[in-house]
Amino acid sequence: MPLSDADLVHLRTIVARHGGEPTELLQILREVQAYLHHVPHEAMVFLYEVLQVPPAQIQGVVEFYSFLSTTPRGHYDLRVSDSITDQMLGSRALAADLCERLGVRLGETRADGAVSVDYTSCTGMCEQGPAGLVNGLALTRLDRARIGRIAELVEAGAPLEAWPEEFFAVADNVHKPGLLLENGFEPGAALAKLFERGRDATFAELEQSGLRGRGGAGFNTAWKWRFCYEGPDEDSFCPMDKRSEVQRFVICNADEGEPGTFKDRVLLNSHAHRVFEGMTVCAALVGAKRGFLYLRGEYLHLYQPLLAVLEERRRLGLLGQTIQGREGFDFDIKIHLGAGAYICGEESALIESLEGKRGNPRNRPPYPVTHGYLGQPTVVNNVETFLSAAMIALHGGAWFAAHGTEKSKGSKILSISGDCARPGIYEYPFGTTVAEILADCGASDPFGAQVGGPSGTFISDKEFGRKLAFEDLATGGSFIVFGQGRDPLEVARNFTHFFAHESCGFCTPCRVGTALLRNIHDKICAGHGTPYDLAELADLGKIIKGASHCGLGQTAANPILTTLERYPGLYEARLKETVFQPGFDLDGALEVSRRLTGRDDAHAHLEQANQ
Amino acid sequence: MKPYHISIDGQAVPYQPGQTIMEAATAAGIYIPHLCHNPEFKPHGSCKLCTVKVNGRSAAACTMPAGEGQEIQNNTPELNATRRAITRMLFVEGNHICPGCEKTGNCQLQAVGYYVGMLDTHYPHFFPTRRVDASHPDVMLDLDRCIVCELCVRASRDVDGKNVFGLAGRGLQTRLVVNSASGLLKDTDFSAGDKAAQVCPVGAILIKRKGYEVPIGERIFDHHTIGEVSLEHDQAVLGADHG
């Protein structure tokens, strides 16, 4: 169907608002999707003409991100979070209820185009689920009553502004503030301290703090920033005046997609000044003029409030030109929204996404710190890392390093969800034991916990003495508690489906392997598995782990491998009793040969057929 | 010039700074299986067939720079098992019809299958539904056999300067698409003489009216292993680059 003149005018406005920049492709497509409820072929052709981006690239991007679609979604596009914590809170029954009330099948759009219902990966509302999204906006604390009311509002065609505010209420739920969260912060204080101390002394403080990246990998932050400041090797051959001309970028990774993680949501909601100030401190140290906050699409509700904080900082002279009166210190931050792709949390995939491309992780080396955004030196750090850096710039390295362990200084903010009385945000010094954390959040008699999300570590009740630290249990912040009565196989199944859904498809072992793992695991859960399938899972898991391109594939088999190791009995209990399940009657197939050879002794028969 | 060396399966292999492990191995006559790699194009690192162990850690030989002190494992039972598994994955992901395929005997995927000792596909097939694009007068696209190596994408963009192909979809749905408003090959400036029409390692891009010109039994891999053929080709390309 051709686009109407009014549609074309609207599309032109969207493109103009983004300066007609090809790097803005994902942002433009998000707005086209919101306006037309999909990105039709005609819109892709139009964008191809005005942006001069090849149609295959546009189609490639549309088909890559979960929140964009080539076929129409409903005017109300409802998505129910399919994270394990939401499932434990009854999300799947609620989704079925919603579909029944609205007369629509899951994953489909109703014939009148009014509504579509689907599942989506973790929305980061695990402590106030079951959660969902309507046209990208977060819905929390869903229950039967709310589902009923939502169905009525949809049928009445009520605009989202008219929906009850409490449906969209997102609470912080901070239960235990620690080193970072219990100390106050005045916007500009860390920058003032930085200028008082000077660049070298601030670098030294950061080094002394021992801060390691909070995204999970734990790279030393001071080193990363110094590498960016020094630039790539080839720059060291440039004259000094040329080196200072190199553009550098600071990117804050707020694509918190690891199921069970939501602490960055809280930090951005209540402590955005600290995060932006940390980015500005980084910019001052490495010499960057531009920064990006890559905000996951699921946190759309934070977009306007964060724009307001950025505007306030510009007003306070903490962003923009001549920051805090320092001639030549110019830095500003732009917010980029994601569109439903877990892989974009991987730093090089995130950069590709920022450039308006599919979120495929790049080959490394070179690393983003020397060849990042648009091929320039780029610091990519997590929300909590920048917040910590701001606090270190203010209070000094020793203040931070006095907490934690030998190799893990400072504190860690955790998102705790699952089977516990008080799910929410907790901050602990590194070195705290799992047992202590479980006691604090009111987890009575759990059988295990997933630390670091699906890509992290599953620990059983025999391992609760283990410590939160890079030396033992590293974590980006996800901490999911499983009570007695939960089935470890169902947990592994949820995670395995998640990885197969989120694999970017770039490399063979992850693209095909995660789908094979999912299918074999499903077969076992359905009661059709044999010992052969268990061996296959272990073998395949090892191959995917060893040969995949990035962290997603390298960790995708962990949920299966760790549960196989800890609960072999539970897996075996699901198997068929036969050692081998043939697809046909093996012995029967030999009948013709027996007749031809005139043999019918015991050796002419196959034993397994009788087992 | 100071000689630099890496070690591959215990053998000292010289390299020039800036070379990848694959380039150093090729120059030394060591074959590391690969499909998405072709030295005529920028390394891609997606098929992972060339996975080697560098000081104990896995890396794609085609993208990993060679460096001092690297102890590399290549021809080991474990790595060969991984390569066999990856080759099988590529087979079950698509719809491969080796006995009837025009490319049989000239197909690199099939030849790698022989090389890694693959006797069956082992994994359950996905049997995807994929489109045939026969719209172009001289070239046919049969995506059933595409292994998303992006060689045609790179060749068209970097050599032909036409940018005819791209990738769309995600995960197992990742697929080759054509860069035209209609999505059809006939609406591009693609021609059978393009580099991109020649580089497909499988039978996804086929030149029309050329079927079975060379009889089966007299084709490349009917008489040579992919190791021999690949080394000869890749060394010639590297030689041309450095010569």
Side-chain angles (χ1 to χ4, degrees):
Chain A
M1 203 177 65
L3 297 169
S4 72
D5 287 348
D7 289 343
L8 286 172
V9 168
H10 194 95
L11 258 52
R12 263 181 220 292
T13 322
I14 293 174
V15 172
R17 188 158 53 236
H18 292 281
E21 289 288 333
T23 50
E24 291 287 298
L25 180 61
L26 183 58
Q27 307 305 296
I28 292 168
L29 288 171
R30 279 189 58 98
E31 293 187 30
V32 173
Q33 171 82 31
Y35 174 65
L36 295 171
H37 310 293
H38 69 311
V39 185
H41 180 72
E42 294 75 14
M44 290 192 230
V45 174
F46 170 81
L47 291 176
Y48 151 56
E49 281 159 8
V50 297
L51 287 175
Q52 292 296 304
V53 173
Q57 186 187 336
I58 298 175
Q59 186 185 357
V61 169
V62 174
E63 290 186 14
F64 189 87
Y65 297 90
S66 293
F67 294 168
L68 303 174
S69 63
T70 52
T71 53
R73 308 286 305 188
H75 285 231
Y76 296 94
D77 188 14
L78 290 156
R79 294 170 196 256
V80 177
S81 175
D82 205 30
S83 181
I84 185 70
T85 56
D86 293 282
Q87 280 189 15
M88 283 156 57
L89 292 163
S91 63
R92 289 209 150 192
L94 292 175
D97 186 26
L98 184 61
C99 285
E100 197 180 318
R101 284 171 191 269
L102 291 167
V104 61
R105 288 230 295 260
L106 193 81
E108 292 180 5
T109 302
R110 204 164 75 180
D112 64 357
V115 63
S116 49
V117 183
D118 207 346
Y119 287 136
T120 188
S121 297
C122 181
T123 60
M125 300 290 161
C126 319
E127 92 292 22
Q128 45 200 316
L133 299 168
V134 56
N135 297 351
L137 282 172
L139 293 165
T140 54
R141 299 185 191 284
L142 295 173
D143 55 19
R144 281 195 105 72
R146 277 196 183 179
I147 290 291
R149 187 76 190 107
I150 287 172
E152 285 168 19
L153 289 162
V154 167
E155 297 297 7
L160 292 186
E161 300 80 58
W163 289 28
E165 261 179 52
E166 67 264 26
F167 285 17
F168 303 100
V170 178
D172 274 2
N173 295 317
V174 178
H175 295 302
K176 187 176 161 49
L179 182 64
L180 298 171
L181 296 181
E182 66 192 2
N183 282 294
F185 185 83
E186 277 299 312
L191 281 171
K193 196 84 188 175
L194 160 74
F195 293 130
E196 187 189 311
R197 263 198 214 103
R199 175 189 293 215
D200 290 346
T202 304
F203 251 128
E205 293 289 342
L206 195 65
E207 204 138 27
Q208 192 196 353
S209 76
L211 177 65
R212 297 170 66 168
R214 297 315 196 214
F219 193 77
N220 183 296
T221 305
W223 294 353
K224 184 186 269 190
W225 293 14
R226 200 177 286 281
F227 288 149
C228 179
Y229 170 59
E230 287 169 358
D233 286 347
E234 54 258 34
D235 281 1
S236 58
F237 301 107
C238 302
M240 272 317 271
D241 56 329
K242 266 270 195 302
R243 286 180 70 180
S244 62
E245 280 171 22
V246 173
Q247 276 203 75
R248 292 177 172 78
F249 297 93
V250 176
I251 298 174
C252 178
N253 182 347
D255 190 60
E256 186 173 56
E258 191 71 39
T261 322
F262 47 87
K263 45 108 189 161
D264 291 348
R265 182 198 84 212
V266 175
L267 300 182
L268 291 170
N269 187 46
S270 298
H271 305 285
H273 271 292
R274 304 183 194 203
V275 179
F276 291 139
E277 188 136 334
M279 291 174 71
T280 315
V281 166
C282 177
L285 292 182
V286 306
K289 303 257 179 261
R290 290 172 65 195
F292 297 101
L293 177 80
Y294 189 98
L295 184 67
R296 68 188 306 228
E298 290 82 350
Y299 292 169
L300 181 63
H301 70 284
L302 288 172
Y303 183 64
Q304 291 297 338
L306 285 170
L307 284 181
V309 174
L310 287 178
E311 201 42 55
E312 190 190 356
R313 290 185 70 82
R314 286 184 199 109
R315 204 163 33 76
L316 293 171
L318 302 174
L319 275 182
Q321 307 282 314
T322 323
I323 291 172
Q324 283 198 334
R326 294 267 151 172
E327 202 58 53
F329 180 27
D330 309 330
F331 178 68
D332 213 329
I333 298 170
K334 190 168 183 178
I335 302 176
H336 262 250
L337 277 159
Y342 166 76
I343 189 61
C344 291
E346 196 279 345
E347 61 175 356
S348 67
L350 183 149
I351 290 171
E352 290 281 297
S353 183
L354 267 180
E355 292 179 356
K357 301 179 196 156
R358 295 156 62 74
N360 285 340
R362 293 176 177 175
N363 285 307
R364 291 178 296 182
Y367 292 87
V369 72
T370 53
H371 297 75
Y373 183 67
L374 304 177
Q376 303 300 311
T378 303
V379 167
V380 184
N381 273 133
N382 163 272
V383 171
E384 188 182 339
T385 314
F386 281 120
L387 181 139
S388 304
M391 297 299 274
I392 290 164
L394 182 62
H395 298 290
W399 167 80
F400 193 78
H403 302 81
T405 68
E406 177 65 29
K407 288 180 182 157
S408 315
K409 302 294 185 197
S411 65
K412 183 77 195 88
I413 302 175
L414 293 183
S415 325
I416 301 183
S417 59
D419 295 316
C420 61
R422 293 174 295 281
I425 301 296
Y426 294 75
E427 184 182 359
Y428 290 99
F430 274 113
T432 306
T433 64
V434 172
E436 197 176 324
I437 296 165
L438 288 168
D440 284 353
C441 70
S444 53
D445 193 25
F447 81 79
Q450 186 77 25
V451 181
S455 69
T457 318
F458 179 87
I459 53 167
S460 77
D461 49 9
K462 295 177 189 66
E463 306 164 74
F464 289 165
R466 292 181 66 177
K467 289 184 170 68
L468 203 71
F470 290 103
E471 300 93 304
D472 186 4
L473 286 171
T475 171
S478 171
F479 193 102
I480 307 174
V481 185
F482 298 108
Q484 301 294 337
R486 301 291 180 195
D487 181 358
L489 265 68
E490 280 305 312
V491 175
R493 186 162 126 108
N494 176 280
F495 292 162
T496 304
H497 275 251
F498 170 76
F499 285 125
H501 181 259
E502 298 295 341
S503 168
C504 79
F506 174 77
C507 76
T508 317
C510 177
R511 181 178 71 240
V512 187
T514 55
L516 288 170
L517 271 186
R518 177 196 63 198
N519 293 353
I520 299 170
H521 198 266
D522 278 357
K523 181 185 172 192
I524 293 167
C525 287
H528 298 300
T530 63
Y532 175 84
D533 292 305
L534 286 191
E536 186 76 343
L537 278 182
D539 190 45
L540 197 53
K542 219 171 64 193
I543 288 164
I544 300 170
K545 216 177 158 84
S548 289
H549 182 68
C550 77
L552 192 157
Q554 287 157 14
T555 57
N558 283 356
I560 285 178
L561 295 178
T562 53
T563 48
L564 261 178
E565 189 187 327
R566 287 169 174 80
Y567 306 100
L570 287 180
Y571 274 91
E572 281 154 19
R574 296 280 185 105
L575 303 180
K576 289 209 166 191
E577 282 181 19
T578 46
V579 281
F580 175 70
Q581 186 69 19
F584 61 97
D585 180 358
L586 278 173
D587 190 55
L590 293 175
E591 188 50 38
V592 177
S593 309
R594 277 193 292 266
R595 254 191 293 125
L596 287 172
T597 55
R599 266 182 72 177
D600 199 20
D601 57 296
H603 293 296
H605 285 272
L606 285 170
E607 269 182 22
Q608 56 264 59
N610 303 320
Q611 278 181 5
Chain B
M1 195 183 291
K2 180 179 166 249
Y4 295 93
H5 286 92
I6 51 176
S7 156
I8 301 182
D9 294 330
Q11 177 188 340
V13 171
Y15 74 94
Q16 304 295 323
Q19 268 188 329
T20 60
I21 291 172
M22 178 73 83
E23 285 167 339
T26 302
I30 297 171
Y31 172 64
I32 303 176
H34 55 271
L35 282 169
C36 75
H37 178 67
N38 177 333
E40 296 171 71
F41 309 101
K42 199 171 162 242
H44 198 242
S46 68
C47 78
K48 300 297 172 195
L49 210 64
C50 71
T51 300
V52 292
K53 290 251 171 152
V54 183
N55 298 335
R57 298 187 63 161
S58 296
C62 69
T63 57
M64 187 72 182
E68 276 304 279
Q70 284 177 346
E71 295 279 343
I72 296 156
Q73 291 180 312
N74 169 42
N75 190 9
T76 68
E78 186 199 344
L79 287 166
N80 289 331
T82 296
R83 289 169 188 153
R84 193 156 52 240
I86 289 173
T87 310
R88 286 168 159 159
M89 287 182 192
L90 287 169
F91 268 94
V92 301
E93 178 189 29
N95 300 309
H96 293 275
I97 47 159
C98 296
C101 179
E102 203 302 288
K103 203 68 179 278
T104 195
N106 289 335
C107 170
Q108 292 177 31
L109 176 66
Q110 187 189 42
V112 160
Y114 296 149
Y115 189 88
V116 298
M118 190 185 119
L119 299 175
D120 63 5
T121 46
H122 184 83
Y123 301 120
H125 284 255
F126 288 96
F127 297 119
T129 306
R130 294 182 182 175
R131 195 174 52 91
V132 172
D133 181 350
S135 66
H136 193 280
D138 302 319
V139 185
M140 187 173 91
L141 271 189
D142 182 354
L143 299 185
D144 273 336
R145 287 163 254 184
C146 176
I147 55 168
V148 290
C149 67
E150 294 193 51
L151 275 169
C152 59
V153 177
R154 285 175 276 165
S156 182
R157 184 189 60 213
D158 303 340
V159 179
D160 302 328
K162 292 184 179 178
N163 203 12
V164 169
F165 301 102
L167 284 198
R170 183 171 93 189
L172 206 59
Q173 277 74 47
T174 305
R175 66 188 207 284
L176 189 72
V177 290
V178 171
N179 227 342
S180 65
S182 66
L184 292 173
L185 197 58
K186 74 174 165 69
D187 296 320
T188 66
D189 51 358
F190 194 62
S191 96
D194 285 0
K195 186 77 187 170
Q198 319 298 327
V199 293
C200 184
V202 289
I205 299 179
L206 294 170
I207 310 295
K208 289 181 177 176
R209 296 178 294 280
K210 292 257 183 190
Y212 302 93
E213 272 190 343
V214 178
I216 291 170
E218 293 173 26
R219 296 183 170 200
I220 301 167
F221 302 116
D222 294 335
H223 300 283
H224 302 280
T225 70
I226 189 160
E228 296 161 357
V229 176
S230 175
L231 274 179
E232 193 180 329
H233 168 262
D234 294 1
Q235 283 177 338
V237 174
L238 286 178
D241 281 356
H242 295 287

